Amino acid sequence: MRQKILANRQSAQRSRVRKLQYISELERSVTSLQAEVSVLSPRVAYLDHQRLVLNVDNSVLKQRIAALAQDKVFKDAHQEALKREIERLRQIYYQQNMKNLENDTIPNSPSRLADNAEQEQLAVN
């Protein structure tokens, strides 16, 4: 019985030693992690600041892209209007050339006579 009590006490003593070793290891871990935090905290703060700066830059770039896209829409519409105007002027030019050709090939056509009368009237004035 005495031997059992002695073995129990030795076991309890070993358990307390293991517990103290475990606590000591945890304290070393805490100290090490606190040192790591103190090293990394400024870096985290710097990177957080950089993220904010980049977010602002990104926002500015997105606004610029939107403005350029809107400008492109206006320029595309203007280009289409100019194309239509060029086509309209080509048609007028073509019609005038056809009329001139018609007047040049038919010497006494009514339209040629009217043009000649107009020119004579202008020459008199």
Side-chain angles (χ1 to χ4, degrees):
M1 179 85 152
R2 197 167 171 81
Q3 211 174 20
K4 198 170 188 180
I5 293 173
L6 186 58
N8 193 18
R9 284 184 184 167
Q10 288 174 345
S11 176
Q13 181 63 28
R14 285 191 305 271
S15 179
R16 284 190 293 274
V17 168
R18 281 194 309 270
K19 184 176 180 181
L20 288 173
Q21 288 172 341
Y22 177 71
I23 289 171
S24 177
E25 183 60 34
L26 287 177
E27 288 172 343
R28 279 193 298 275
S29 266
V30 165
T31 303
S32 173
L33 290 172
Q34 285 174 337
E36 190 175 350
V37 165
S38 67
V39 167
L40 293 176
S41 286
R43 178 80 173 143
V44 168
Y46 170 78
L47 291 174
D48 193 45
H49 179 262
Q50 287 299 106
R51 180 186 56 81
L52 292 174
V53 168
L54 291 173
N55 281 342
V56 169
D57 289 348
N58 191 33
S59 179
V60 167
L61 290 173
K62 283 181 179 180
Q63 289 174 353
R64 177 140 187 225
I65 287 171
L68 289 172
Q70 185 66 28
D71 190 44
K72 183 185 180 309
V73 168
F74 289 136
K75 286 183 178 179
D76 288 348
H78 185 249
Q79 183 178 5
E80 285 303 313
L82 290 174
K83 284 180 181 178
R84 286 192 301 273
E85 180 64 10
I86 288 169
E87 186 56 35
R88 187 184 71 79
L89 292 173
R90 279 186 181 147
Q91 287 176 356
I92 291 171
Y93 178 76
Y94 175 76
Q95 289 170 355
Q96 287 176 345
N97 279 346
M98 292 304 288
K99 185 178 177 184
N100 288 342
L101 282 174
E102 185 179 292
N103 288 341
D104 289 345
T105 57
I106 305 172
N108 292 324
S109 70
S111 60
R112 177 123 189 209
L113 292 175
D115 286 345
N116 286 342
E118 253 182 56
Q119 289 175 358
E120 288 177 10
Q121 185 66 28
L122 290 173
V124 171
N125 292 338

